[in-house]
């Protein structure tokens, strides 16, 4: 059984979707949800589903003496960033090469990088008059949103779509595809 550790900062809809996807699986399970916000709704979602949670401060996130033992204890096969806002420190990326993935709410390389998260991305997509948007799953590297793309899924936009409409369309793709991408990565792991 492989263990998935999810890092999340927000409401946790993706996290809950991933937990539910792997419930009863012979392949993997979500063993821990880590958040940098004590009041993040993702923590309650995980706890309701029986998944252990941990709250970490910025100082703890950047401390190898805290993070590496936490993740080793979980025997993490894959670390999934699902709406995790802090920049992951290099020592974690180096400790889990090609074993840490992020989801981004645009078709990278468009609308990526520092400060481009959540509604900021959807507003930029709207402002640019894009005809499509989508989601990207990519490997985490020291370059923010710069890791190799693993999978992308697209959705058409209309000129009448608001930033909220764009967000809803993109989120629907996340709910449909993110757990399957994670599953395929785990299947292909040695």
């Amino acid at each position: 059984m492989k263990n998935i550790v999810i890092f999340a900062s927000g409401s946790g809809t993706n996290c809950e979707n991933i937990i539910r996807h792997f419930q009863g699986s012979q392949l993997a399970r979500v063993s821990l949800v880590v958040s940098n916000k004590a009041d993040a709704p993702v923590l309650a979602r995980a706890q309701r589903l029986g998944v252990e949670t941990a709250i970490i401060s910025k100082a703890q996130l950047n401390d190898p003496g805290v993070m590496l033992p936490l993740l080793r204890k979980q025997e993490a096969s894959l670390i999934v960033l699902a709406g995790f806002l802090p920049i992951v420190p290099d020592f974690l990326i180096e400790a889990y090469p090609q074993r840490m993935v992020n989801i981004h709410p645009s078709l990278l390389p468009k609308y990526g990088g520092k400060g481009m998260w959540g509604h900021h991305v959807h507003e930029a997509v709207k402002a640019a008059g894009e005809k499509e948007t989508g989601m990207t799953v990519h490997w985490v590297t020291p370059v923010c949103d710069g890791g190799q793309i693993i999978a992308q899924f697209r959705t058409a936009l209309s000129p009448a779509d608001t930033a909220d409409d764009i967000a809803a369309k993109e989120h629907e793709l996340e709910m449909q595809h993110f757990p399957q991408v994670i599953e395929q990565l785990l299947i292909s792991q040695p």
Side-chain angles (χ1 to χ4, degrees), residues 41-110:
V42 67
L43 296 168
R45 286 178 189 267
Q47 290 163 356
R48 272 195 309 274
L49 293 168
V51 176
E52 182 183 343
T53 60
I55 301 163
I56 54 162
S57 66
K58 183 175 183 178
Q60 290 171 317
L61 175 64
N62 289 293
D63 184 345
V66 171
M67 294 307 296
L68 293 176
L70 176 69
L71 295 172
R72 285 185 189 127
K73 179 183 172 197
Q74 296 297 319
E75 299 178 3
S77 296
L78 191 67
I79 298 169
V80 175
L81 307 184
F84 189 66
L85 298 183
I87 299 294
V88 175
D90 288 353
F91 74 84
L92 274 181
I93 297 167
E94 291 164 11
Y96 292 89
Q98 299 288 291
R99 290 177 42 215
M100 186 180 300
V101 299
N102 183 42
I103 189 168
H104 188 77
S106 75
L107 296 170
L108 290 176
K110 290 183 175 184

Side-chain angles (χ1 to χ4, degrees), residues 52-185:
E52 182 183 343
T53 60
I55 301 163
I56 54 162
S57 66
K58 183 175 183 178
Q60 290 171 317
L61 175 64
N62 289 293
D63 184 345
V66 171
M67 294 307 296
L68 293 176
L70 176 69
L71 295 172
R72 285 185 189 127
K73 179 183 172 197
Q74 296 297 319
E75 299 178 3
S77 296
L78 191 67
I79 298 169
V80 175
L81 307 184
F84 189 66
L85 298 183
I87 299 294
V88 175
D90 288 353
F91 74 84
L92 274 181
I93 297 167
E94 291 164 11
Y96 292 89
Q98 299 288 291
R99 290 177 42 215
M100 186 180 300
V101 299
N102 183 42
I103 189 168
H104 188 77
S106 75
L107 296 170
L108 290 176
K110 290 183 175 184
Y111 313 107
K114 191 171 182 180
M116 292 306 286
W117 53 271
H119 218 64
H120 301 286
V121 174
H122 306 306
E123 289 169 354
V125 168
K126 173 67 178 168
E130 295 285 355
K131 294 184 179 356
E132 68 176 2
T133 192
M135 61 166 272
T136 302
V137 180
H138 66 90
W139 294 114
V140 176
T141 66
V143 177
C144 183
D145 294 329
Q148 179 186 357
I149 293 170
I150 298 164
Q152 289 185 314
F153 301 92
R154 301 168 185 273
T155 186
L157 300 176
S158 79
D161 284 337
T162 66
D164 288 340
D165 296 331
I166 294 168
K169 287 181 174 185
E170 186 276 330
H171 189 67
E172 190 175 307
L173 291 176
E174 293 177 0
M175 302 311 292
Q176 182 179 354
H177 297 289
F178 199 20
Q180 285 81 12
V181 172
I182 293 166
E183 184 172 320
Q184 288 306 308
L185 289 172

Side-chain angles (χ1 to χ4, degrees), residues 14-50:
N14 268 310
C15 179
E16 180 175 347
N17 193 34
I18 294 163
I19 293 169
R20 289 186 184 283
H21 179 82
F22 286 99
Q23 283 179 330
S25 167
Q26 300 301 311
L27 173 67
R29 69 185 181 100
V30 176
S31 62
L32 178 67
V33 172
V34 176
S35 184
N36 61 310
K37 295 183 175 184
D39 61 348
V42 67
L43 296 168
R45 286 178 189 267
Q47 290 163 356
R48 272 195 309 274
L49 293 168

